[in-house]
Amino acid sequence: LFLQMAGKVKVERSPKRPQWAHVRLYLVPDGLTTGLIPGDSSPFSILFNFREHQVEFMNGDGKKVNVPLEDGVSVAAFYGQFASALEQIGSPTLINVHPQEFYDPLEFDKDDKHHSYDKVAIRKWLENMLFAYGAMARYLTAFRCKVHYPAYYFGTMDLTCIVFSGEPAPFGKKDPVMEKAFDERLYECGFWPGDISFPQAAFFAMPYPFIETIRGNESLLFMEIVLRGRRTQLISAIVVYIVIYFIRLSEDVVADFV
């Protein structure tokens, strides 16, 4: 939820790009950053430093404000600190306070229910994200077409890369989110850490236009992969999502999978 606040600042301030590319967060060794965001008087960035466990706000004039990440601080309390930090660096920003794709969606400024921050779990999450980035970056090396390198999408909460064919493929339905996300042929794959409804980390893959039935597409469904030294056939759900459980695979194995 804290990361969603930073993503929503980008929604309000960053120049619009196809596939919501303007709202992505970028992985760095210490955590996730917004990169440069246009500000009122100077550009600024927001870095979630998961090694020092603090959120670092900095503008182009050198003004810095740090907000600690601590267990026991509610989402509402953190949102107040977050908004105050933006004001202190000279770029106060009104955002949509309704969480995206969250199982218990309480508005940020009213959410006193969620207040956990597990430093050990966060460090493990960061290690997994860094590993996943390396695997996906290796996978992308062969492509000469337009690609999006792995980045974090705050709504779906996954680290995702995309390969584009360049062929138009309008979504065809009135949906303010989906019609911007899907307007050309693409192949998306990434790493998802799981949530309360599916408490297992996984790599996934998804083609667009979506393949809605297996019938007639059987040739796409089988691949071989080495899992812990054993060759296993996976039915890869290229229908909508392909998932494999995240068990410390090598980057080569993951790159072969995606």
Side-chain angles (χ1 to χ4, degrees), residues 19 162-165 181-182 184-188 206-209:
Q19 285 82 41
I162 309 176
V163 178
F164 300 88
S165 75
F182 301 107
E184 64 178 294
R185 290 182 177 273
L186 59 82
Y187 173 73
E188 176 182 315
M206 179 183 73
Y208 175 78

Side-chain angles (χ1 to χ4, degrees), residues 18-19 84 94 130 163 179 187 191 217 238 242 244:
Q19 285 82 41
S84 175
L94 291 176
L130 292 169
V163 178
E179 63 187 359
Y187 173 73
F191 172 70
N217 295 291
I238 224 162
I242 310 168
I244 57 173

Side-chain angles (χ1 to χ4, degrees), residues 32-212:
L32 289 167
T33 179
T34 58
L36 282 179
I37 302 173
D40 290 345
S41 58
S42 68
F44 66 95
S45 67
I46 306 170
L47 168 66
F48 281 76
N49 189 326
F50 293 126
R51 298 191 190 278
E52 299 297 328
H53 302 290
Q54 62 186 19
V55 185
E56 302 169 6
F57 299 76
M58 182 175 181
N59 70 11
D61 297 325
K63 176 69 174 178
K64 298 180 182 179
V65 178
N66 293 338
V67 174
L69 292 167
E70 299 174 315
D71 190 38
V73 176
S74 70
V75 171
F78 179 84
Y79 176 71
Q81 297 176 59
F82 184 92
S84 175
L86 287 173
E87 188 170 357
Q88 291 178 63
I89 63 170
S91 293
T93 307
L94 291 176
I95 65 172
N96 176 3
V97 295
H98 189 79
Q100 306 302 124
E101 302 188 43
F102 187 63
Y103 70 93
D104 191 11
L106 304 175
E107 294 185 343
F108 297 148
D109 56 346
K110 299 180 177 66
D111 186 356
D112 293 313
K113 178 180 179 180
H114 303 107
H115 48 73
S116 61
Y117 182 83
D118 186 331
K119 293 183 178 180
V120 174
I122 286 292
R123 289 294 290 272
K124 290 181 179 178
W125 171 87
L126 180 58
E127 290 176 5
N128 288 344
M129 296 286 275
L130 292 169
F131 168 80
Y133 183 98
M136 286 185 278
R138 182 172 301 199
Y139 164 70
L140 292 173
T141 56
F143 292 96
R144 295 178 179 269
C145 57
K146 171 187 169 185
V147 300
H148 283 176
Y149 257 66
Y152 184 84
Y153 285 82
F154 73 84
T156 49
M157 293 175 277
D158 50 52
L159 188 74
T160 296
C161 67
I162 309 176
V163 178
F164 300 88
S165 75
E167 302 171 79
F171 186 64
K173 296 179 182 179
K174 287 294 182 182
D175 185 301
V177 174
M178 299 292 280
E179 63 187 359
K180 293 182 177 65
F182 301 107
D183 60 3
E184 64 178 294
R185 290 182 177 273
L186 59 82
Y187 173 73
E188 176 182 315
C189 54
F191 172 70
W192 184 58
D195 64 12
I196 194 169
S197 62
F198 187 81
Q200 174 67 59
F203 284 96
F204 68 87
M206 179 183 73
Y208 175 78
F210 306 127
I211 299 173
E212 297 180 354

